[in-house]
Amino acid sequence: MLNCTSPTPRSLVADLEKDLFPYRQVRPVKDFSSPLNITLDITVVGVLGVVSPHTGLHFFLIRQIWDVQECGTEKVSVLRESIWVPDVHIAEFMEEDKSPRTPYVYLYNTGGVFDDRPIRVVSSCKLDIYTFPFDIQNCTLTFGSYVLLLPPKTLVGIKRSRKDLFMATKLTKVCLFHQKLILRRKPLNYVVNLLIPSCFLVTIDIFSFMLPPHSVDRSSFKMTLILGYTVFLLIMNDLLPVTGNQTPLINVFFSVSLALMVASLLETVLITHIQLGSSHGAIPDWLRTLVLQYMAILVCLPPLKKKRAVTVFLNPSATGPQELSDASPAEKTTQDSVLEELRKLSRHLAAIRVQVDKHFQGNHSMQEWEMIGRVVDRFLFGLYIIFITVTFITIIAIWIWNNSYVA
């Protein structure tokens, strides 16, 4: 125990240099077989691609080094090189520790030593990125120390030659213990930059079904949407993790979203081909029955109503007998020629009317093909909504289940 001449820092340091510092190369125990208590505390400061813990190392030299009233303080900072410090290391180190060196440690009057220093750890850790960005990583750090021990029985038979002295030493690994680090990723950045924009694009693709299927704008809009989504994935590819043994669930989410957009474009092409089916000829009876009678009821579309447009033809032989009988022969000839021209004009107008009605109303087969396209379009849209809902609920449930299971 130190006897300070006065409660001043100079007196305390002078006594330490006299009674403690000269023995800094010797483990501070009574004999070689006595253990030394070492406590290790870890505080993770940040994860910058590597685990960067801040370690606090507590160990005890001897009991009661000095009296607080005589020396004036409970602890004093001394140079690390001035006392014995255990060589605690981490087995998972992959690179040299490049953290800033702290030259001082705290020495307490009870014999305790507190070494508070940062350590930048680049370690090997098996990462499970299946639930990225809602993943929880479990990394293990193995702490140990290599201590040079000279058993007392061996010291008796040691010769003075360096060779025999080297043979008598024994390198022993002691105080191995494992520290488990549980790291939870902050997913907000990935949700804002990846998941929300992807959901917005899928929502826009859903609302694009409101456009007329036979219109060119619908197919071109979907092609533009697919191109934009592909560019979005290329830009945000740096935020995605590098795949290992397992494919991240978020990659499956993006692949499913892109596949759904491509499927919706193919559906638009199919419906456009059906609705512009004037060249298909007559509709088969089984197709008319299946689509127009059963599927139309399933998708809540009213049945096709037949248009009852009637073209009225005037009787070309209708003449005014009273007028003709009272006319003279010359006038009768003139009236006959005029009536004949009027009859020809009436026939031409009726033919023009028939063609105009066919042009605007279309024939019945064309109307049925258009109705079939509408029914199939709504039916496939319903399947599209169901598949999107089930897929997204399944992916979200897997994310939630894995997080609750790991936690």
Side-chain angles (χ1 to χ4, degrees), residues 102-314:
T102 54
Y104 294 98
V105 296
Y106 291 100
L107 177 63
Y108 290 83
N109 67 314
T110 57
V113 179
F114 178 66
D115 185 4
D116 187 15
R117 60 169 180 167
I119 299 178
R120 182 178 181 269
V121 180
V122 182
S123 64
S124 58
C125 180
K126 185 178 179 180
L127 301 179
D128 185 8
I129 58 175
Y130 178 68
T131 57
F132 175 89
F134 306 99
D135 52 332
I136 300 176
Q137 305 299 337
N138 296 323
C139 295
T140 302
L141 298 180
T142 304
F143 293 87
S145 175
Y146 288 94
V147 183
L148 190 63
L149 300 179
L150 292 176
K153 295 181 180 180
T154 310
L155 291 176
V156 179
I158 290 180
K159 299 182 180 179
R160 294 187 178 275
S161 63
R162 293 182 178 270
K163 181 177 180 181
D164 293 338
L165 180 63
F166 177 77
M167 295 297 294
T169 60
K170 184 178 181 181
L171 192 63
T172 308
K173 194 172 185 178
V174 295
C175 300
L176 268 181
F177 69 94
H178 302 278
Q179 181 67 37
K180 189 175 181 180
L181 298 179
I182 300 178
L183 306 176
R184 182 186 295 270
R185 193 189 305 270
K186 293 183 178 180
L188 181 60
N189 181 41
Y190 304 98
V191 171
V192 172
N193 292 308
L194 291 177
L195 294 180
I196 293 181
S198 180
C199 293
F200 282 163
L201 293 175
V202 173
T203 304
I204 293 174
D205 183 63
I206 293 176
F207 280 100
S208 66
F209 280 90
M210 299 178 65
L211 296 174
H214 59 275
S215 174
V216 181
D217 294 337
R218 179 167 168 178
S219 58
S220 61
F221 178 81
K222 287 183 176 291
M223 292 178 64
T224 305
L225 194 62
I226 293 175
L227 179 60
Y229 192 74
T230 305
V231 174
F232 162 76
L233 293 180
L234 292 177
I235 294 175
M236 294 300 173
N237 189 40
D238 294 337
L239 294 178
L240 297 176
V242 180
T243 57
N245 296 330
Q246 289 182 323
T247 301
L249 197 60
I250 192 172
N251 290 7
V252 178
F253 175 80
F254 292 147
S255 300
V256 170
S257 300
L258 183 60
L260 289 174
M261 292 182 182
V262 174
S264 67
L265 177 61
L266 295 178
E267 187 267 350
T268 301
V269 174
L270 175 63
I271 299 304
T272 304
H273 177 69
I274 293 177
Q275 288 200 336
L276 300 179
S278 59
S279 60
H280 298 339
I283 301 177
D285 294 335
W286 65 268
L287 182 61
R288 181 184 293 106
T289 304
L290 175 64
V291 177
L292 299 182
Q293 294 185 10
Y294 296 102
M295 290 181 61
I297 298 175
L298 182 63
V299 299
C300 301
L301 278 178
L304 181 64
K305 295 181 179 180
K306 297 182 179 180
K307 295 183 180 181
R308 300 182 180 275
V310 178
T311 303
V312 180
F313 295 93
L314 296 176

